[in-house]
Amino acid sequence: MDSVSPNPSLIGTTLREHVLAGMQAAPGATGEFTSLLNHVSLAVRIINSRVRAAGLAGLLGYTGETNVQGEQVQKLDVYANEVLLNVLTRSGHCGVIASEENDEPIYSNHGGKYVVLFDPLDGSSNIDTNVSIGTIFAVLRRREPTPIVDDALRPGREIVAAGYALYGPSTVFVLSTGHGVHAFTLDPNVGEFFLSMPNIRCPKKGNSYSVNEGNCARWAPEIRKWSEHMKTEDKAGGYPYGHRYVGSLVADAHRTLMKGGIFAYPEDSKSPTGKLRLLYEANPMAYLFEQAGGAATTGKHRILDVQPTNVHQRVPLVLGSKDDVAVYKEFVEGKR
Ligand code: AMP
Ligand code: P6P
């Protein structure tokens, strides 16, 4: 019988194979980074299985507690946090772990050369209404002799990997290790992520803007002027833009990354330093957008250059197409 050469396109590249290829291309890599990423993938697949069954497994609804953010903690939040803490601790590669759900970081006395920062289940206020939610993470190398909070309080430009899982109509894992942005879609029957969108590029300009217009009364005048600009007819500029807002950062950011345009959560009179958290929401998203050719700013400063002072600090967050983010900044700087 003739030997049949395997058809390479028959089965897509898995996340595991993609990460392994990255290790083979990294001189001197010991495999710890690879193992860490594979542990993140495992945690996300475990969370995914519970998110999918939450309605049936009685995991919807609140626990009655509030987290360090003062937000109602939902059962799935707690579960997702426990899974990530357990799997990442077991990996042995994390000297410092900081989670949105934990007041203080967790330090490993067994060393571990990496810091992992995560929001275990972002968009949790949408859990009970079956709206897409996600897990966001960032990885940095530890710098201190022993694990301390300073290892986590590093500017986002030092990130060595970041990504998110989007639990939507399908479960998508978006990852960058500094060599572009790649998306993988979970085949639930196989339990593996398969490469579905290699080398994602954020378009230079988009046609939609994403902001909670319900906050406009609390915005500074220059932000209100920007919002009006996005809604005003200007055929040459391609305005008005369509308005899209899910209220779940991972969903709004993913759409903006794929289609272009702009997402903004500005500071306002109720949240004078913004609502979204720097270490495990803004920084990972900013890293991904810049890796995909987009931009990320507070309105005044590049997100990845912000020097953190507190694990749970908040920042104004603007993500999107380079041209659309530049226009936002011109309004903030009073140039428009
Ligand atoms: P390691 O010795 O496995 O901790 O890797 C050392 C460094 O090499 C990491 O911090 C990354 O910057 C790079 N590296 C190692 N493995 C990979 C990978 N699978 N993909 C991309 N970069 C990697
Ligand atoms: P608002 C979800 O609670 C979240 O933390 C992000 O996922 C989302 O972008 C933001 O808050 C939505 O906030 O005030 O518009 O409901």
PDB file of all heavy atoms in Angstrom, residues 18-24 26-34 37 113-114 141 160 177 179, ligand 1:
ATOM      1  N   HIS A  18       2.130  25.555  19.428  1.00  0.00           N
ATOM      2  CA  HIS A  18       2.562  26.943  19.186  1.00  0.00           C
ATOM      3  C   HIS A  18       3.536  27.388  20.278  1.00  0.00           C
ATOM      4  O   HIS A  18       4.588  27.967  19.996  1.00  0.00           O
ATOM      5  CB  HIS A  18       1.325  27.851  19.163  1.00  0.00           C
ATOM      6  CG  HIS A  18       1.629  29.311  19.082  1.00  0.00           C
ATOM      7  ND1 HIS A  18       1.856  29.964  17.894  1.00  0.00           N
ATOM      8  CD2 HIS A  18       1.760  30.246  20.065  1.00  0.00           C
ATOM      9  CE1 HIS A  18       2.099  31.246  18.135  1.00  0.00           C
ATOM     10  NE2 HIS A  18       2.053  31.439  19.445  1.00  0.00           N
ATOM     11  N   VAL A  19       3.194  27.084  21.521  1.00  0.00           N
ATOM     12  CA  VAL A  19       4.044  27.487  22.644  1.00  0.00           C
ATOM     13  C   VAL A  19       5.375  26.728  22.608  1.00  0.00           C
ATOM     14  O   VAL A  19       6.443  27.299  22.841  1.00  0.00           O
ATOM     15  CB  VAL A  19       3.298  27.273  23.977  1.00  0.00           C
ATOM     16  CG1 VAL A  19       4.209  27.451  25.175  1.00  0.00           C
ATOM     17  CG2 VAL A  19       2.113  28.244  24.068  1.00  0.00           C
ATOM     18  N   LEU A  20       5.312  25.457  22.247  1.00  0.00           N
ATOM     19  CA  LEU A  20       6.541  24.650  22.157  1.00  0.00           C
ATOM     20  C   LEU A  20       7.471  25.220  21.078  1.00  0.00           C
ATOM     21  O   LEU A  20       8.687  25.339  21.266  1.00  0.00           O
ATOM     22  CB  LEU A  20       6.189  23.200  21.826  1.00  0.00           C
ATOM     23  CG  LEU A  20       7.370  22.205  21.824  1.00  0.00           C
ATOM     24  CD1 LEU A  20       8.036  22.153  23.190  1.00  0.00           C
ATOM     25  CD2 LEU A  20       6.888  20.813  21.398  1.00  0.00           C
ATOM     26  N   ALA A  21       6.871  25.649  19.965  1.00  0.00           N
ATOM     27  CA  ALA A  21       7.693  26.245  18.889  1.00  0.00           C
ATOM     28  C   ALA A  21       8.365  27.518  19.393  1.00  0.00           C
ATOM     29  O   ALA A  21       9.530  27.800  19.078  1.00  0.00           O
ATOM     30  CB  ALA A  21       6.809  26.542  17.676  1.00  0.00           C
ATOM     31  N   GLY A  22       7.645  28.249  20.234  1.00  0.00           N
ATOM     32  CA  GLY A  22       8.223  29.477  20.803  1.00  0.00           C
ATOM     33  C   GLY A  22       9.410  29.166  21.683  1.00  0.00           C
ATOM     34  O   GLY A  22      10.414  29.875  21.686  1.00  0.00           O
ATOM     35  N   MET A  23       9.314  28.048  22.410  1.00  0.00           N
ATOM     36  CA  MET A  23      10.432  27.649  23.275  1.00  0.00           C
ATOM     37  C   MET A  23      11.645  27.263  22.427  1.00  0.00           C
ATOM     38  O   MET A  23      12.779  27.676  22.696  1.00  0.00           O
ATOM     39  CB  MET A  23      10.010  26.453  24.133  1.00  0.00           C
ATOM     40  CG  MET A  23      11.122  25.909  24.984  1.00  0.00           C
ATOM     41  SD  MET A  23      10.557  24.464  25.903  1.00  0.00           S
ATOM     42  CE  MET A  23      12.010  23.469  25.813  1.00  0.00           C
ATOM     43  N   GLN A  24      11.378  26.517  21.354  1.00  0.00           N
ATOM     44  CA  GLN A  24      12.477  26.071  20.481  1.00  0.00           C
ATOM     45  C   GLN A  24      13.170  27.253  19.807  1.00  0.00           C
ATOM     46  O   GLN A  24      14.339  27.197  19.456  1.00  0.00           O
ATOM     47  CB  GLN A  24      11.947  25.069  19.440  1.00  0.00           C
ATOM     48  CG  GLN A  24      11.629  23.715  20.064  1.00  0.00           C
ATOM     49  CD  GLN A  24      10.593  22.905  19.284  1.00  0.00           C
ATOM     50  OE1 GLN A  24       9.964  23.415  18.355  1.00  0.00           O
ATOM     51  NE2 GLN A  24      10.404  21.657  19.678  1.00  0.00           N
ATOM     52  N   ALA A  26      13.593  30.087  21.410  1.00  0.00           N
ATOM     53  CA  ALA A  26      14.131  30.965  22.479  1.00  0.00           C
ATOM     54  C   ALA A  26      15.452  30.380  22.973  1.00  0.00           C
ATOM     55  O   ALA A  26      15.462  29.365  23.682  1.00  0.00           O
ATOM     56  CB  ALA A  26      13.131  31.074  23.614  1.00  0.00           C
ATOM     57  N   PRO A  27      16.553  31.015  22.655  1.00  0.00           N
ATOM     58  CA  PRO A  27      17.853  30.455  23.021  1.00  0.00           C
ATOM     59  C   PRO A  27      17.984  30.244  24.539  1.00  0.00           C
ATOM     60  O   PRO A  27      17.640  31.124  25.309  1.00  0.00           O
ATOM     61  CB  PRO A  27      18.855  31.517  22.557  1.00  0.00           C
ATOM     62  CG  PRO A  27      18.109  32.443  21.664  1.00  0.00           C
ATOM     63  CD  PRO A  27      16.658  32.339  22.013  1.00  0.00           C
ATOM     64  N   GLY A  28      18.388  29.060  24.924  1.00  0.00           N
ATOM     65  CA  GLY A  28      18.663  28.798  26.337  1.00  0.00           C
ATOM     66  C   GLY A  28      17.426  28.593  27.188  1.00  0.00           C
ATOM     67  O   GLY A  28      17.526  28.480  28.405  1.00  0.00           O
ATOM     68  N   ALA A  29      16.253  28.547  26.571  1.00  0.00           N
ATOM     69  CA  ALA A  29      15.024  28.389  27.376  1.00  0.00           C
ATOM     70  C   ALA A  29      15.064  27.061  28.129  1.00  0.00           C
ATOM     71  O   ALA A  29      15.406  26.013  27.576  1.00  0.00           O
ATOM     72  CB  ALA A  29      13.807  28.455  26.465  1.00  0.00           C
ATOM     73  N   THR A  30      14.691  27.098  29.396  1.00  0.00           N
ATOM     74  CA  THR A  30      14.708  25.881  30.234  1.00  0.00           C
ATOM     75  C   THR A  30      13.386  25.119  30.138  1.00  0.00           C
ATOM     76  O   THR A  30      13.287  23.987  30.559  1.00  0.00           O
ATOM     77  CB  THR A  30      14.896  26.273  31.712  1.00  0.00           C
ATOM     78  OG1 THR A  30      13.737  27.065  32.098  1.00  0.00           O
ATOM     79  CG2 THR A  30      16.160  27.080  31.917  1.00  0.00           C
ATOM     80  N   GLY A  31      12.327  25.801  29.637  1.00  0.00           N
ATOM     81  CA  GLY A  31      11.011  25.159  29.565  1.00  0.00           C
ATOM     82  C   GLY A  31      10.063  25.633  30.652  1.00  0.00           C
ATOM     83  O   GLY A  31       8.869  25.305  30.642  1.00  0.00           O
ATOM     84  N   GLU A  32      10.582  26.444  31.618  1.00  0.00           N
ATOM     85  CA  GLU A  32       9.698  26.921  32.695  1.00  0.00           C
ATOM     86  C   GLU A  32       8.603  27.827  32.152  1.00  0.00           C
ATOM     87  O   GLU A  32       7.442  27.715  32.528  1.00  0.00           O
ATOM     88  CB  GLU A  32      10.529  27.677  33.742  1.00  0.00           C
ATOM     89  CG  GLU A  32      11.479  26.778  34.524  1.00  0.00           C
ATOM     90  CD  GLU A  32      12.412  27.590  35.407  1.00  0.00           C
ATOM     91  OE1 GLU A  32      12.010  27.953  36.528  1.00  0.00           O
ATOM     92  OE2 GLU A  32      13.541  27.875  34.967  1.00  0.00           O
ATOM     93  N   PHE A  33       8.954  28.712  31.261  1.00  0.00           N
ATOM     94  CA  PHE A  33       7.994  29.656  30.670  1.00  0.00           C
ATOM     95  C   PHE A  33       6.921  28.873  29.902  1.00  0.00           C
ATOM     96  O   PHE A  33       5.725  29.141  30.034  1.00  0.00           O
ATOM     97  CB  PHE A  33       8.746  30.591  29.729  1.00  0.00           C
ATOM     98  CG  PHE A  33       7.948  31.705  29.134  1.00  0.00           C
ATOM     99  CD1 PHE A  33       7.695  32.866  29.848  1.00  0.00           C
ATOM    100  CD2 PHE A  33       7.484  31.612  27.842  1.00  0.00           C
ATOM    101  CE1 PHE A  33       6.986  33.916  29.267  1.00  0.00           C
ATOM    102  CE2 PHE A  33       6.777  32.657  27.253  1.00  0.00           C
ATOM    103  CZ  PHE A  33       6.525  33.803  27.978  1.00  0.00           C
ATOM    104  N   THR A  34       7.369  27.904  29.124  1.00  0.00           N
ATOM    105  CA  THR A  34       6.459  27.052  28.356  1.00  0.00           C
ATOM    106  C   THR A  34       5.503  26.329  29.286  1.00  0.00           C
ATOM    107  O   THR A  34       4.288  26.305  29.074  1.00  0.00           O
ATOM    108  CB  THR A  34       7.270  26.050  27.516  1.00  0.00           C
ATOM    109  OG1 THR A  34       8.059  26.794  26.585  1.00  0.00           O
ATOM    110  CG2 THR A  34       6.378  25.072  26.778  1.00  0.00           C
ATOM    111  N   LEU A  37       2.870  28.706  30.684  1.00  0.00           N
ATOM    112  CA  LEU A  37       1.790  29.002  29.730  1.00  0.00           C
ATOM    113  C   LEU A  37       0.847  27.800  29.583  1.00  0.00           C
ATOM    114  O   LEU A  37      -0.370  27.955  29.487  1.00  0.00           O
ATOM    115  CB  LEU A  37       2.361  29.407  28.376  1.00  0.00           C
ATOM    116  CG  LEU A  37       3.118  30.744  28.342  1.00  0.00           C
ATOM    117  CD1 LEU A  37       3.664  31.000  26.942  1.00  0.00           C
ATOM    118  CD2 LEU A  37       2.235  31.894  28.803  1.00  0.00           C
ATOM    119  N   LYS A 113      10.428  31.852  39.009  1.00  0.00           N
ATOM    120  CA  LYS A 113      11.051  33.042  38.416  1.00  0.00           C
ATOM    121  C   LYS A 113      10.053  34.022  37.810  1.00  0.00           C
ATOM    122  O   LYS A 113      10.444  35.067  37.296  1.00  0.00           O
ATOM    123  CB  LYS A 113      12.104  32.627  37.383  1.00  0.00           C
ATOM    124  CG  LYS A 113      11.594  31.904  36.179  1.00  0.00           C
ATOM    125  CD  LYS A 113      12.744  31.144  35.493  1.00  0.00           C
ATOM    126  CE  LYS A 113      13.316  31.873  34.348  1.00  0.00           C
ATOM    127  NZ  LYS A 113      14.189  31.021  33.499  1.00  0.00           N
ATOM    128  N   TYR A 114       8.776  33.669  37.829  1.00  0.00           N
ATOM    129  CA  TYR A 114       7.790  34.531  37.171  1.00  0.00           C
ATOM    130  C   TYR A 114       6.777  35.136  38.141  1.00  0.00           C
ATOM    131  O   TYR A 114       6.549  34.613  39.252  1.00  0.00           O
ATOM    132  CB  TYR A 114       7.065  33.743  36.072  1.00  0.00           C
ATOM    133  CG  TYR A 114       7.995  33.414  34.931  1.00  0.00           C
ATOM    134  CD1 TYR A 114       8.526  32.139  34.762  1.00  0.00           C
ATOM    135  CD2 TYR A 114       8.395  34.414  34.043  1.00  0.00           C
ATOM    136  CE1 TYR A 114       9.410  31.856  33.733  1.00  0.00           C
ATOM    137  CE2 TYR A 114       9.275  34.147  33.013  1.00  0.00           C
ATOM    138  CZ  TYR A 114       9.784  32.872  32.869  1.00  0.00           C
ATOM    139  OH  TYR A 114      10.684  32.600  31.857  1.00  0.00           O
ATOM    140  N   ARG A 141       8.937  38.577  34.465  1.00  0.00           N
ATOM    141  CA  ARG A 141      10.003  37.886  35.182  1.00  0.00           C
ATOM    142  C   ARG A 141      10.209  38.595  36.508  1.00  0.00           C
ATOM    143  O   ARG A 141      10.186  39.824  36.567  1.00  0.00           O
ATOM    144  CB  ARG A 141      11.301  37.932  34.372  1.00  0.00           C
ATOM    145  CG  ARG A 141      11.286  37.062  33.149  1.00  0.00           C
ATOM    146  CD  ARG A 141      12.704  36.785  32.653  1.00  0.00           C
ATOM    147  NE  ARG A 141      12.655  36.406  31.249  1.00  0.00           N
ATOM    148  CZ  ARG A 141      12.958  37.232  30.229  1.00  0.00           C
ATOM    149  NH1 ARG A 141      13.319  38.459  30.488  1.00  0.00           N
ATOM    150  NH2 ARG A 141      12.866  36.829  28.989  1.00  0.00           N
ATOM    151  N   VAL A 160       6.341  39.819  29.649  1.00  0.00           N
ATOM    152  CA  VAL A 160       6.938  38.852  28.711  1.00  0.00           C
ATOM    153  C   VAL A 160       5.865  37.979  28.049  1.00  0.00           C
ATOM    154  O   VAL A 160       6.123  37.312  27.040  1.00  0.00           O
ATOM    155  CB  VAL A 160       8.001  37.943  29.385  1.00  0.00           C
ATOM    156  CG1 VAL A 160       9.241  38.745  29.749  1.00  0.00           C
ATOM    157  CG2 VAL A 160       7.436  37.227  30.600  1.00  0.00           C
ATOM    158  N   THR A 177       3.535  36.487  23.230  1.00  0.00           N
ATOM    159  CA  THR A 177       4.762  36.329  24.016  1.00  0.00           C
ATOM    160  C   THR A 177       5.829  37.269  23.455  1.00  0.00           C
ATOM    161  O   THR A 177       7.027  37.023  23.570  1.00  0.00           O
ATOM    162  CB  THR A 177       5.279  34.885  23.951  1.00  0.00           C
ATOM    163  OG1 THR A 177       5.532  34.561  22.571  1.00  0.00           O
ATOM    164  CG2 THR A 177       4.289  33.907  24.549  1.00  0.00           C
ATOM    165  N   HIS A 179       5.890  38.117  20.154  1.00  0.00           N
ATOM    166  CA  HIS A 179       6.083  37.846  18.712  1.00  0.00           C
ATOM    167  C   HIS A 179       4.721  37.870  18.020  1.00  0.00           C
ATOM    168  O   HIS A 179       4.284  36.888  17.413  1.00  0.00           O
ATOM    169  CB  HIS A 179       6.766  36.483  18.519  1.00  0.00           C
ATOM    170  CG  HIS A 179       8.005  36.328  19.345  1.00  0.00           C
ATOM    171  ND1 HIS A 179       9.202  36.928  18.999  1.00  0.00           N
ATOM    172  CD2 HIS A 179       8.228  35.705  20.526  1.00  0.00           C
ATOM    173  CE1 HIS A 179      10.119  36.646  19.914  1.00  0.00           C
ATOM    174  NE2 HIS A 179       9.559  35.919  20.850  1.00  0.00           N
TER     175      HIS A 179
HETATM  176  P1  AMP B   1      12.519  29.809  30.471  1.00  0.00           P
HETATM  177  O1  AMP B   1      13.991  29.492  30.615  1.00  0.00           O
HETATM  178  O2  AMP B   1      11.696  28.662  29.946  1.00  0.00           O
HETATM  179  O3  AMP B   1      11.964  30.412  31.741  1.00  0.00           O
HETATM  180  O4  AMP B   1      12.461  30.952  29.323  1.00  0.00           O
HETATM  181  C1  AMP B   1      13.295  32.093  29.404  1.00  0.00           C
HETATM  182  C2  AMP B   1      12.745  33.191  28.485  1.00  0.00           C
HETATM  183  O5  AMP B   1      12.774  32.730  27.130  1.00  0.00           O
HETATM  184  C3  AMP B   1      11.289  33.503  28.757  1.00  0.00           C
HETATM  185  O6  AMP B   1      11.145  34.472  29.795  1.00  0.00           O
HETATM  186  C4  AMP B   1      10.825  34.020  27.411  1.00  0.00           C
HETATM  187  O7  AMP B   1      11.168  35.403  27.247  1.00  0.00           O
HETATM  188  C5  AMP B   1      11.601  33.133  26.434  1.00  0.00           C
HETATM  189  N1  AMP B   1      10.807  31.933  26.145  1.00  0.00           N
HETATM  190  C6  AMP B   1      10.968  30.731  26.702  1.00  0.00           C
HETATM  191  N2  AMP B   1      10.045  29.859  26.248  1.00  0.00           N
HETATM  192  C7  AMP B   1       9.272  30.555  25.381  1.00  0.00           C
HETATM  193  C8  AMP B   1       8.102  30.252  24.595  1.00  0.00           C
HETATM  194  N3  AMP B   1       7.558  29.029  24.641  1.00  0.00           N
HETATM  195  N4  AMP B   1       7.551  31.201  23.826  1.00  0.00           N
HETATM  196  C9  AMP B   1       8.104  32.435  23.798  1.00  0.00           C
HETATM  197  N5  AMP B   1       9.179  32.822  24.527  1.00  0.00           N
HETATM  198  C10 AMP B   1       9.758  31.884  25.306  1.00  0.00           C
END
